[in-house]
Amino acid sequence: NAGVTQTPKFQVLKTGQSMTLQCAQDMNHNSMYWYRQDPGMGLRLIYYSASEGTTDKGEVPNGYNVSRLNKREFSLRLESAAPSQTSVYFCATALTSSYEQYFGPGTRLTVT
Amino acid sequence: DAKTTQPPSMDCAEGRAANLPCNHSTISGNEYVYWYRQIHSQGPQYIIHGLKNNETNEMASLIITEDRKSSTLILPHATLRDTAVYYCIAWANRDDKIIFGKGTRLHILP
């Protein structure tokens, strides 16, 4: 049981480049989330998917898009990366949106 | 803004009980108190949650005051591996945004 996996673990992008962060879970959870964490700060919700086929904006959605590919996978896309998007990105899952969340190990993204 | 207030940091001696306070004076009647922790740069880890009654599991105990305006997370026998940032969150268990504040950085001293 891998739990929640994220790829890649590290990434360096130049301003304007695009990339997709991948998240997969084998916990058979319905809800999935993307957060970002800036140095010394708490987590901020970017987007979430309460169930397969639905996505909603969180606290800081600008500059990002998401796709809930199937029940297992939830991807986060940066279309045109900016230095302000340098952060650690965490994916999380929950049985449903009413239950506690389980987090992946994170993707450390630097935009130069 | 976070609905909870926590001290930015605390120290605790190894082997002693660590008591982490949290104020949530504006908590709504349907909001639970959740605790997570984040060790170093790992993803946050769920610890415990409660509504009104005190709760205990294999990791910790949660004491909620009768008026629900504050709570305390208790790690009964702290070890060096409990060094982490601890987040207290008020959340209504529905399609609602969880707000992680800055948490309390707990240092376990050998």
Side-chain angles (χ1 to χ4, degrees), chain A residues 51-77:
Chain A
S51 60
E52 188 179 352
T54 70
T55 61
D56 281 289
K57 294 178 181 179
E59 190 183 349
V60 288
N62 291 345
Y64 305 94
N65 285 303
V66 290
S67 294
R68 182 73 184 266
L69 304 168
N70 47 54
K71 188 172 184 178
R72 290 187 63 248
E73 298 170 292
F74 189 37
S75 63
L76 178 73
R77 182 158 178 85

PDB file of all heavy atoms in Angstrom, chain A residues 51-77:
ATOM      1  N   SER A  51     -15.312  14.623  -5.170  1.00  0.00           N
ATOM      2  CA  SER A  51     -15.560  13.280  -5.692  1.00  0.00           C
ATOM      3  C   SER A  51     -15.145  13.259  -7.156  1.00  0.00           C
ATOM      4  O   SER A  51     -14.932  14.316  -7.773  1.00  0.00           O
ATOM      5  CB  SER A  51     -17.028  12.886  -5.548  1.00  0.00           C
ATOM      6  OG  SER A  51     -17.844  13.776  -6.257  1.00  0.00           O
ATOM      7  N   GLU A  52     -15.040  12.058  -7.708  1.00  0.00           N
ATOM      8  CA  GLU A  52     -14.639  11.929  -9.110  1.00  0.00           C
ATOM      9  C   GLU A  52     -15.588  12.731  -9.997  1.00  0.00           C
ATOM     10  O   GLU A  52     -16.809  12.665  -9.825  1.00  0.00           O
ATOM     11  CB  GLU A  52     -14.680  10.451  -9.495  1.00  0.00           C
ATOM     12  CG  GLU A  52     -14.114  10.145 -10.859  1.00  0.00           C
ATOM     13  CD  GLU A  52     -14.156   8.657 -11.173  1.00  0.00           C
ATOM     14  OE1 GLU A  52     -14.486   7.864 -10.253  1.00  0.00           O
ATOM     15  OE2 GLU A  52     -13.879   8.288 -12.318  1.00  0.00           O
ATOM     16  N   GLY A  53     -15.021  13.525 -10.888  1.00  0.00           N
ATOM     17  CA  GLY A  53     -15.839  14.300 -11.810  1.00  0.00           C
ATOM     18  C   GLY A  53     -16.142  15.709 -11.351  1.00  0.00           C
ATOM     19  O   GLY A  53     -16.751  16.486 -12.091  1.00  0.00           O
ATOM     20  N   THR A  54     -15.731  16.058 -10.127  1.00  0.00           N
ATOM     21  CA  THR A  54     -15.980  17.420  -9.634  1.00  0.00           C
ATOM     22  C   THR A  54     -14.684  18.050  -9.155  1.00  0.00           C
ATOM     23  O   THR A  54     -13.820  17.360  -8.597  1.00  0.00           O
ATOM     24  CB  THR A  54     -16.976  17.433  -8.463  1.00  0.00           C
ATOM     25  OG1 THR A  54     -16.357  16.850  -7.311  1.00  0.00           O
ATOM     26  CG2 THR A  54     -18.236  16.672  -8.798  1.00  0.00           C
ATOM     27  N   THR A  55     -14.537  19.352  -9.398  1.00  0.00           N
ATOM     28  CA  THR A  55     -13.411  20.109  -8.858  1.00  0.00           C
ATOM     29  C   THR A  55     -13.913  21.470  -8.416  1.00  0.00           C
ATOM     30  O   THR A  55     -14.873  22.004  -9.010  1.00  0.00           O
ATOM     31  CB  THR A  55     -12.271  20.290  -9.875  1.00  0.00           C
ATOM     32  OG1 THR A  55     -12.753  21.006 -11.005  1.00  0.00           O
ATOM     33  CG2 THR A  55     -11.699  18.955 -10.319  1.00  0.00           C
ATOM     34  N   ASP A  56     -13.266  22.033  -7.398  1.00  0.00           N
ATOM     35  CA  ASP A  56     -13.654  23.355  -6.903  1.00  0.00           C
ATOM     36  C   ASP A  56     -12.416  24.127  -6.492  1.00  0.00           C
ATOM     37  O   ASP A  56     -11.390  23.543  -6.104  1.00  0.00           O
ATOM     38  CB  ASP A  56     -14.584  23.232  -5.682  1.00  0.00           C
ATOM     39  CG  ASP A  56     -15.994  22.915  -6.095  1.00  0.00           C
ATOM     40  OD1 ASP A  56     -16.646  23.818  -6.662  1.00  0.00           O
ATOM     41  OD2 ASP A  56     -16.430  21.780  -5.873  1.00  0.00           O
ATOM     42  N   LYS A  57     -12.536  25.451  -6.565  1.00  0.00           N
ATOM     43  CA  LYS A  57     -11.423  26.315  -6.184  1.00  0.00           C
ATOM     44  C   LYS A  57     -11.285  26.369  -4.675  1.00  0.00           C
ATOM     45  O   LYS A  57     -12.273  26.343  -3.944  1.00  0.00           O
ATOM     46  CB  LYS A  57     -11.648  27.725  -6.727  1.00  0.00           C
ATOM     47  CG  LYS A  57     -11.625  27.810  -8.237  1.00  0.00           C
ATOM     48  CD  LYS A  57     -11.897  29.234  -8.709  1.00  0.00           C
ATOM     49  CE  LYS A  57     -11.896  29.299 -10.231  1.00  0.00           C
ATOM     50  NZ  LYS A  57     -12.176  30.669 -10.720  1.00  0.00           N
ATOM     51  N   GLY A  58     -10.029  26.483  -4.249  1.00  0.00           N
ATOM     52  CA  GLY A  58      -9.749  26.698  -2.844  1.00  0.00           C
ATOM     53  C   GLY A  58      -9.417  28.150  -2.586  1.00  0.00           C
ATOM     54  O   GLY A  58      -9.969  29.054  -3.210  1.00  0.00           O
ATOM     55  N   GLU A  59      -8.454  28.348  -1.691  1.00  0.00           N
ATOM     56  CA  GLU A  59      -8.099  29.700  -1.245  1.00  0.00           C
ATOM     57  C   GLU A  59      -7.232  30.446  -2.270  1.00  0.00           C
ATOM     58  O   GLU A  59      -7.359  31.656  -2.429  1.00  0.00           O
ATOM     59  CB  GLU A  59      -7.337  29.570   0.070  1.00  0.00           C
ATOM     60  CG  GLU A  59      -7.058  30.833   0.838  1.00  0.00           C
ATOM     61  CD  GLU A  59      -6.226  30.539   2.079  1.00  0.00           C
ATOM     62  OE1 GLU A  59      -6.064  29.353   2.438  1.00  0.00           O
ATOM     63  OE2 GLU A  59      -5.731  31.497   2.689  1.00  0.00           O
ATOM     64  N   VAL A  60      -6.346  29.743  -2.979  1.00  0.00           N
ATOM     65  CA  VAL A  60      -5.373  30.387  -3.875  1.00  0.00           C
ATOM     66  C   VAL A  60      -5.327  29.684  -5.237  1.00  0.00           C
ATOM     67  O   VAL A  60      -4.308  29.115  -5.613  1.00  0.00           O
ATOM     68  CB  VAL A  60      -3.962  30.438  -3.230  1.00  0.00           C
ATOM     69  CG1 VAL A  60      -3.921  31.452  -2.106  1.00  0.00           C
ATOM     70  CG2 VAL A  60      -3.535  29.053  -2.740  1.00  0.00           C
ATOM     71  N   PRO A  61      -6.395  29.711  -6.039  1.00  0.00           N
ATOM     72  CA  PRO A  61      -6.431  28.946  -7.288  1.00  0.00           C
ATOM     73  C   PRO A  61      -5.770  29.629  -8.503  1.00  0.00           C
ATOM     74  O   PRO A  61      -5.508  28.951  -9.507  1.00  0.00           O
ATOM     75  CB  PRO A  61      -7.933  28.807  -7.540  1.00  0.00           C
ATOM     76  CG  PRO A  61      -8.504  30.075  -6.958  1.00  0.00           C
ATOM     77  CD  PRO A  61      -7.655  30.375  -5.745  1.00  0.00           C
ATOM     78  N   ASN A  62      -5.499  30.940  -8.403  1.00  0.00           N
ATOM     79  CA  ASN A  62      -5.024  31.659  -9.593  1.00  0.00           C
ATOM     80  C   ASN A  62      -3.679  31.134 -10.062  1.00  0.00           C
ATOM     81  O   ASN A  62      -2.742  30.981  -9.288  1.00  0.00           O
ATOM     82  CB  ASN A  62      -4.924  33.156  -9.297  1.00  0.00           C
ATOM     83  CG  ASN A  62      -6.288  33.783  -9.121  1.00  0.00           C
ATOM     84  OD1 ASN A  62      -7.301  33.181  -9.479  1.00  0.00           O
ATOM     85  ND2 ASN A  62      -6.323  34.977  -8.556  1.00  0.00           N
ATOM     86  N   GLY A  63      -3.575  30.867 -11.370  1.00  0.00           N
ATOM     87  CA  GLY A  63      -2.334  30.379 -11.959  1.00  0.00           C
ATOM     88  C   GLY A  63      -2.250  28.869 -12.038  1.00  0.00           C
ATOM     89  O   GLY A  63      -1.248  28.330 -12.504  1.00  0.00           O
ATOM     90  N   TYR A  64      -3.304  28.183 -11.598  1.00  0.00           N
ATOM     91  CA  TYR A  64      -3.327  26.720 -11.566  1.00  0.00           C
ATOM     92  C   TYR A  64      -4.590  26.185 -12.234  1.00  0.00           C
ATOM     93  O   TYR A  64      -5.634  26.833 -12.239  1.00  0.00           O
ATOM     94  CB  TYR A  64      -3.298  26.198 -10.136  1.00  0.00           C
ATOM     95  CG  TYR A  64      -2.159  26.696  -9.289  1.00  0.00           C
ATOM     96  CD1 TYR A  64      -2.323  27.820  -8.472  1.00  0.00           C
ATOM     97  CD2 TYR A  64      -0.932  26.053  -9.292  1.00  0.00           C
ATOM     98  CE1 TYR A  64      -1.287  28.281  -7.688  1.00  0.00           C
ATOM     99  CE2 TYR A  64       0.109  26.512  -8.497  1.00  0.00           C
ATOM    100  CZ  TYR A  64      -0.067  27.630  -7.700  1.00  0.00           C
ATOM    101  OH  TYR A  64       0.964  28.081  -6.925  1.00  0.00           O
ATOM    102  N   ASN A  65      -4.472  24.952 -12.764  1.00  0.00           N
ATOM    103  CA  ASN A  65      -5.632  24.191 -13.204  1.00  0.00           C
ATOM    104  C   ASN A  65      -5.489  22.770 -12.685  1.00  0.00           C
ATOM    105  O   ASN A  65      -4.373  22.319 -12.401  1.00  0.00           O
ATOM    106  CB  ASN A  65      -5.719  24.152 -14.736  1.00  0.00           C
ATOM    107  CG  ASN A  65      -6.188  25.476 -15.303  1.00  0.00           C
ATOM    108  OD1 ASN A  65      -7.266  25.945 -14.935  1.00  0.00           O
ATOM    109  ND2 ASN A  65      -5.394  26.081 -16.149  1.00  0.00           N
ATOM    110  N   VAL A  66      -6.609  22.085 -12.551  1.00  0.00           N
ATOM    111  CA  VAL A  66      -6.572  20.709 -12.043  1.00  0.00           C
ATOM    112  C   VAL A  66      -7.395  19.806 -12.940  1.00  0.00           C
ATOM    113  O   VAL A  66      -8.280  20.263 -13.677  1.00  0.00           O
ATOM    114  CB  VAL A  66      -7.099  20.602 -10.591  1.00  0.00           C
ATOM    115  CG1 VAL A  66      -6.135  21.247  -9.614  1.00  0.00           C
ATOM    116  CG2 VAL A  66      -8.497  21.192 -10.473  1.00  0.00           C
ATOM    117  N   SER A  67      -7.072  18.513 -12.837  1.00  0.00           N
ATOM    118  CA  SER A  67      -7.853  17.486 -13.527  1.00  0.00           C
ATOM    119  C   SER A  67      -8.005  16.301 -12.589  1.00  0.00           C
ATOM    120  O   SER A  67      -7.004  15.789 -12.071  1.00  0.00           O
ATOM    121  CB  SER A  67      -7.158  17.022 -14.808  1.00  0.00           C
ATOM    122  OG  SER A  67      -7.083  18.043 -15.752  1.00  0.00           O
ATOM    123  N   ARG A  68      -9.263  15.895 -12.381  1.00  0.00           N
ATOM    124  CA  ARG A  68      -9.488  14.651 -11.624  1.00  0.00           C
ATOM    125  C   ARG A  68      -9.649  13.564 -12.683  1.00  0.00           C
ATOM    126  O   ARG A  68     -10.726  13.330 -13.213  1.00  0.00           O
ATOM    127  CB  ARG A  68     -10.748  14.777 -10.761  1.00  0.00           C
ATOM    128  CG  ARG A  68     -11.012  13.546  -9.906  1.00  0.00           C
ATOM    129  CD  ARG A  68     -10.049  13.431  -8.760  1.00  0.00           C
ATOM    130  NE  ARG A  68     -10.238  12.213  -7.999  1.00  0.00           N
ATOM    131  CZ  ARG A  68     -11.006  12.127  -6.904  1.00  0.00           C
ATOM    132  NH1 ARG A  68     -11.655  13.185  -6.476  1.00  0.00           N
ATOM    133  NH2 ARG A  68     -11.104  10.973  -6.279  1.00  0.00           N
ATOM    134  N   LEU A  69      -8.543  12.927 -13.003  1.00  0.00           N
ATOM    135  CA  LEU A  69      -8.488  12.003 -14.136  1.00  0.00           C
ATOM    136  C   LEU A  69      -9.369  10.783 -13.912  1.00  0.00           C
ATOM    137  O   LEU A  69      -9.988  10.266 -14.833  1.00  0.00           O
ATOM    138  CB  LEU A  69      -7.036  11.583 -14.365  1.00  0.00           C
ATOM    139  CG  LEU A  69      -6.075  12.764 -14.589  1.00  0.00           C
ATOM    140  CD1 LEU A  69      -4.630  12.299 -14.519  1.00  0.00           C
ATOM    141  CD2 LEU A  69      -6.369  13.433 -15.913  1.00  0.00           C
ATOM    142  N   ASN A  70      -9.399  10.298 -12.711  1.00  0.00           N
ATOM    143  CA  ASN A  70     -10.218   9.153 -12.306  1.00  0.00           C
ATOM    144  C   ASN A  70     -10.247   9.184 -10.781  1.00  0.00           C
ATOM    145  O   ASN A  70      -9.776  10.155 -10.163  1.00  0.00           O
ATOM    146  CB  ASN A  70      -9.643   7.837 -12.835  1.00  0.00           C
ATOM    147  CG  ASN A  70      -8.164   7.740 -12.602  1.00  0.00           C
ATOM    148  OD1 ASN A  70      -7.714   7.891 -11.468  1.00  0.00           O
ATOM    149  ND2 ASN A  70      -7.392   7.522 -13.649  1.00  0.00           N
ATOM    150  N   LYS A  71     -10.750   8.144 -10.150  1.00  0.00           N
ATOM    151  CA  LYS A  71     -10.856   8.180  -8.700  1.00  0.00           C
ATOM    152  C   LYS A  71      -9.475   8.240  -8.048  1.00  0.00           C
ATOM    153  O   LYS A  71      -9.294   8.843  -6.997  1.00  0.00           O
ATOM    154  CB  LYS A  71     -11.617   6.948  -8.195  1.00  0.00           C
ATOM    155  CG  LYS A  71     -11.948   7.000  -6.720  1.00  0.00           C
ATOM    156  CD  LYS A  71     -12.847   5.866  -6.314  1.00  0.00           C
ATOM    157  CE  LYS A  71     -13.239   5.992  -4.851  1.00  0.00           C
ATOM    158  NZ  LYS A  71     -14.159   4.926  -4.429  1.00  0.00           N
ATOM    159  N   ARG A  72      -8.477   7.641  -8.671  1.00  0.00           N
ATOM    160  CA  ARG A  72      -7.157   7.527  -8.065  1.00  0.00           C
ATOM    161  C   ARG A  72      -6.271   8.747  -8.269  1.00  0.00           C
ATOM    162  O   ARG A  72      -5.383   8.981  -7.472  1.00  0.00           O
ATOM    163  CB  ARG A  72      -6.424   6.311  -8.662  1.00  0.00           C
ATOM    164  CG  ARG A  72      -6.947   4.954  -8.296  1.00  0.00           C
ATOM    165  CD  ARG A  72      -6.008   3.864  -8.818  1.00  0.00           C
ATOM    166  NE  ARG A  72      -4.685   3.961  -8.210  1.00  0.00           N
ATOM    167  CZ  ARG A  72      -3.570   4.300  -8.866  1.00  0.00           C
ATOM    168  NH1 ARG A  72      -3.615   4.610 -10.158  1.00  0.00           N
ATOM    169  NH2 ARG A  72      -2.413   4.346  -8.247  1.00  0.00           N
ATOM    170  N   GLU A  73      -6.481   9.489  -9.358  1.00  0.00           N
ATOM    171  CA  GLU A  73      -5.484  10.484  -9.754  1.00  0.00           C
ATOM    172  C   GLU A  73      -6.043  11.895  -9.821  1.00  0.00           C
ATOM    173  O   GLU A  73      -7.137  12.129 -10.364  1.00  0.00           O
ATOM    174  CB  GLU A  73      -4.905  10.099 -11.119  1.00  0.00           C
ATOM    175  CG  GLU A  73      -4.174   8.764 -11.116  1.00  0.00           C
ATOM    176  CD  GLU A  73      -3.825   8.308 -12.516  1.00  0.00           C
ATOM    177  OE1 GLU A  73      -4.761   7.983 -13.287  1.00  0.00           O
ATOM    178  OE2 GLU A  73      -2.629   8.289 -12.831  1.00  0.00           O
ATOM    179  N   PHE A  74      -5.239  12.851  -9.327  1.00  0.00           N
ATOM    180  CA  PHE A  74      -5.636  14.263  -9.317  1.00  0.00           C
ATOM    181  C   PHE A  74      -4.393  15.062  -9.657  1.00  0.00           C
ATOM    182  O   PHE A  74      -3.426  15.064  -8.895  1.00  0.00           O
ATOM    183  CB  PHE A  74      -6.171  14.604  -7.919  1.00  0.00           C
ATOM    184  CG  PHE A  74      -6.815  15.946  -7.784  1.00  0.00           C
ATOM    185  CD1 PHE A  74      -7.591  16.491  -8.796  1.00  0.00           C
ATOM    186  CD2 PHE A  74      -6.676  16.671  -6.610  1.00  0.00           C
ATOM    187  CE1 PHE A  74      -8.223  17.717  -8.646  1.00  0.00           C
ATOM    188  CE2 PHE A  74      -7.306  17.905  -6.446  1.00  0.00           C
ATOM    189  CZ  PHE A  74      -8.067  18.423  -7.469  1.00  0.00           C
ATOM    190  N   SER A  75      -4.393  15.730 -10.808  1.00  0.00           N
ATOM    191  CA  SER A  75      -3.190  16.427 -11.252  1.00  0.00           C
ATOM    192  C   SER A  75      -3.370  17.931 -11.132  1.00  0.00           C
ATOM    193  O   SER A  75      -4.490  18.465 -11.225  1.00  0.00           O
ATOM    194  CB  SER A  75      -2.841  16.045 -12.693  1.00  0.00           C
ATOM    195  OG  SER A  75      -3.880  16.445 -13.568  1.00  0.00           O
ATOM    196  N   LEU A  76      -2.247  18.616 -10.931  1.00  0.00           N
ATOM    197  CA  LEU A  76      -2.211  20.077 -10.813  1.00  0.00           C
ATOM    198  C   LEU A  76      -1.307  20.621 -11.908  1.00  0.00           C
ATOM    199  O   LEU A  76      -0.152  20.210 -12.018  1.00  0.00           O
ATOM    200  CB  LEU A  76      -1.660  20.470  -9.437  1.00  0.00           C
ATOM    201  CG  LEU A  76      -1.518  21.970  -9.159  1.00  0.00           C
ATOM    202  CD1 LEU A  76      -2.890  22.611  -8.950  1.00  0.00           C
ATOM    203  CD2 LEU A  76      -0.647  22.211  -7.926  1.00  0.00           C
ATOM    204  N   ARG A  77      -1.815  21.544 -12.708  1.00  0.00           N
ATOM    205  CA  ARG A  77      -1.042  22.068 -13.831  1.00  0.00           C
ATOM    206  C   ARG A  77      -0.742  23.546 -13.637  1.00  0.00           C
ATOM    207  O   ARG A  77      -1.637  24.334 -13.280  1.00  0.00           O
ATOM    208  CB  ARG A  77      -1.772  21.846 -15.146  1.00  0.00           C
ATOM    209  CG  ARG A  77      -0.980  22.324 -16.352  1.00  0.00           C
ATOM    210  CD  ARG A  77      -1.405  21.655 -17.625  1.00  0.00           C
ATOM    211  NE  ARG A  77      -0.652  22.169 -18.765  1.00  0.00           N
ATOM    212  CZ  ARG A  77       0.551  21.705 -19.140  1.00  0.00           C
ATOM    213  NH1 ARG A  77       1.129  20.720 -18.459  1.00  0.00           N
ATOM    214  NH2 ARG A  77       1.164  22.218 -20.186  1.00  0.00           N
TER     215      ARG A  77
END
